[in-house]
Amino acid sequence: MSTKPLRANDPTSDAGVARVDMKFEIVVIPVSDVDRAKEFYGRLGWRLDADYDNGKDFRVIQFTPPGSGCSIIFGKNVTPAAPGSAQGLYLIVSDIQAARKALLDRGVEITEVFHDSGGVYAGTDEPYLFGRVRVSGPDAEHRSYRSFTSFRDPDGNGWLFQEITTRLPGRIDPATTAFASANDLASAFRRAEAAHGQHEKRTGQRDANWPDWYAAYMVAEQAGGELPQ
């Protein structure tokens, strides 16, 4: 066994080394029927970025989910992995019921929304981040990270929607707050509007400075900071 000390994972611990951005942009999905997979992921409403076929022994297709910085690729001679072996692929959404309805409207089979049973990891359900017992319905307290729904592609590759509206502290830089889509931004406005209504009830007066309040709330919510009261 080596006794060499391990280097710390904190990038700030080595100030003399330049930071290199590492953008996670591609996940390879193993499929058995390329055209069938292309039809399925197109039906999800995902953007088709590429379909290259050399006409012999290689084909690669790339799709990108709406608002995502990461894409998927699949094709012929793209991966040695067994078709259907990609599991636990998470799609983060701000409104899980709306995301589920969008797939149902496109004719995609998807489970009911579910949440966990208090971190039970030895149950009979398919494993996911919070356990192996799925309880029907969204999280009762509507907490971020706690509500899910799942679906599969024709080969059985497993996807989950996970609802996140407020990130845990430190997960997002508040100086670079951004929204992936107009729908995410609209949802954030609605939550800010509801919270601001409670703010005005507490103060007993109309807040003429509501745009600043909204902005502070939306940035803090996304970055996991302290929400304005």
Side-chain angles (χ1 to χ4, degrees):
M1 179 182 295
S2 172
T3 59
K4 183 179 179 180
L6 297 175
R7 180 181 291 273
N9 289 325
D10 181 0
T12 63
S13 66
D14 201 344
V17 178
R19 181 181 122 169
V20 178
D21 287 345
M22 301 179 186
K23 300 178 180 180
F24 185 56
E25 294 193 356
I26 294 291
V27 174
V28 180
I29 307 297
V31 304
S32 60
D33 186 321
V34 180
D35 288 318
R36 182 179 66 175
K38 180 181 178 181
E39 187 280 329
F40 175 81
Y41 285 104
R43 186 152 46 96
L44 296 182
W46 295 9
R47 185 184 72 230
L48 176 62
D49 299 323
D51 184 351
Y52 172 75
D53 188 342
N54 72 355
K56 297 178 181 179
D57 56 1
F58 179 75
R59 184 180 179 189
V60 62
I61 294 175
Q62 177 172 316
F63 277 98
T64 302
S68 175
C70 184
S71 304
I72 65 166
I73 64 173
F74 55 85
K76 182 180 180 181
N77 286 331
V78 170
T79 173
S85 61
Q87 300 297 320
L89 302 167
Y90 283 77
L91 296 164
I92 306 307
V93 298
S94 61
D95 185 333
I96 199 164
Q97 297 286 10
R100 179 177 182 272
K101 183 178 184 302
L103 261 61
L104 287 173
D105 289 346
R106 293 176 179 275
V108 177
E109 185 176 343
I110 185 168
T111 70
E112 296 288 341
V113 175
F114 62 88
H115 63 281
D116 69 291
S117 180
V120 178
Y121 292 93
T124 58
D125 292 332
E126 192 174 342
Y128 67 107
L129 283 176
F130 285 89
R132 291 199 66 163
V133 175
R134 301 182 176 192
V135 179
S136 181
D139 179 69
E141 300 174 26
H142 296 283
R143 294 172 294 176
S144 276
Y145 300 94
R146 293 289 179 169
S147 296
F148 304 83
T149 182
S150 63
F151 64 97
R152 295 179 179 276
D153 73 6
D155 282 289
N157 294 302
W159 294 88
L160 295 100
F161 283 138
Q162 182 181 25
E163 185 177 76
I164 299 179
T165 55
T166 302
R167 298 279 178 173
L168 292 171
R171 299 290 178 91
I172 290 181
D173 181 355
T176 58
T177 299
F179 294 90
S181 67
N183 286 337
D184 276 1
L185 179 58
S187 295
F189 268 119
R190 292 189 193 96
R191 294 190 297 274
E193 179 186 31
H196 188 259
Q198 295 301 314
H199 164 72
E200 289 185 325
K201 285 182 180 180
R202 287 191 293 270
T203 62
Q205 58 185 4
R206 180 181 179 276
D207 178 15
N209 200 36
W210 64 266
D212 288 344
W213 199 99
Y214 272 40
Y217 184 95
M218 291 162 67
V219 169
E221 181 189 53
Q222 189 177 77
E226 184 177 354
L227 299 177
Q229 296 299 316

